[in-house]
Amino acid sequence: MTVSVQKVSASKVTISELMLPSHSNFSGKIHGGYILMLMDQIAFACASKYSGCYCVTASVDTVDFLNPIEIGELVTMKASVNYVGSSSMVVGIRVTSQNIQTGKVKHCNSSYFTMVAKDENGNNVKVPTLILSNLEEVRRFYNSVRRIALKKERNMHEETFDHTTPEALEGLNLYNVKLDL
């Protein structure tokens, strides 16, 4: 039996992992790809917990790496469903790292994963209605609505913009680029 409504709190997931030398890149910092893999895992866990279904990643909004993560730091990721559509969910993820010797905590990044609930045949499944229980959840919901609208507008502009017009080609003069067509 599927649940028709769920509170945001039913989706919350937190994971922590100690960063090891095997997770580092060539500069000795934790590899961004490794952090993205962990973010994808927590987004899956959060969306699946909320929907009760297998979920797939449909898209990832901007990921800005704000602060580097060092070997030996404890990385903590917190995720919750911020928005639901018919079969999709926007999962907000906050990543922090803590120097376990000094206790200093850094915000490393925040990102938004769009996850889609699927059945065993790969068909989209309706997800429960989201119950917003406080103003912070309302803020996160509206921020998701705004990001979705901006994304749709950007996609529409990309589809209709004709980059071959003389005006578009002349507009390239504003950038550090040279045409050699």
Side-chain angles (χ1 to χ4, degrees):
M1 176 172 165
T2 57
V3 178
S4 60
V5 296
Q6 286 272 48
K7 288 186 173 186
V8 172
S9 59
S11 73
K12 291 188 175 190
V13 177
T14 300
I15 62 170
S16 293
E17 185 173 330
L18 185 64
M19 294 295 104
L20 304 174
S22 61
H23 305 140
S24 66
N25 60 23
F26 294 113
S27 68
K29 309 296 183 196
I30 300 306
H31 198 287
Y34 185 73
I35 299 301
L36 284 169
M37 180 191 72
L38 293 176
M39 292 171 73
D40 193 50
Q41 288 176 7
I42 195 171
F44 168 81
C46 178
S48 295
K49 181 180 175 188
Y50 177 82
S51 67
C53 300
Y54 177 77
C55 294
V56 297
T57 306
S59 70
V60 179
D61 278 5
T62 303
V63 178
D64 293 320
F65 293 97
L66 306 172
N67 288 296
I69 300 171
E70 307 291 337
I71 295 168
E73 289 184 332
L74 184 65
V75 167
T76 300
M77 296 185 183
K78 295 182 178 185
S80 66
V81 170
N82 292 351
Y83 168 90
V84 297
S86 177
S87 61
S88 66
M89 297 153 280
V90 174
V91 175
I93 303 169
R94 181 178 174 91
V95 180
T96 60
S97 69
Q98 180 181 25
N99 180 311
I100 56 177
Q101 293 170 331
T102 67
K104 182 180 179 193
V105 176
K106 299 181 290 190
H107 178 208
C108 298
N109 85 38
S110 294
S111 189
Y112 305 93
F113 280 55
T114 300
M115 308 297 289
V116 178
K118 299 285 187 176
D119 66 15
E120 57 278 347
N121 298 317
N123 299 313
N124 291 359
V125 175
K126 184 168 176 43
V127 298
T129 297
L130 186 62
I131 299 172
L132 304 175
S133 301
N134 58 56
L135 291 177
E136 180 64 15
E137 292 172 359
V138 171
R139 181 188 68 79
R140 289 178 178 166
F141 182 87
Y142 272 125
N143 283 347
S144 293
V145 169
R146 204 170 65 245
R147 274 191 307 280
I148 291 165
L150 288 170
K151 191 174 186 179
K152 285 179 182 176
E153 184 180 322
R154 184 175 59 245
N155 289 343
M156 185 181 73
H157 177 73
E158 288 175 1
E159 291 174 10
T160 60
F161 180 71
D162 184 358
H163 65 280
T164 63
T165 64
E167 295 83 15
L169 294 173
E170 189 172 312
L172 291 172
N173 293 332
L174 300 172
Y175 303 97
N176 186 22
V177 64
K178 181 179 179 183
L179 283 179
D180 185 18
L181 302 175

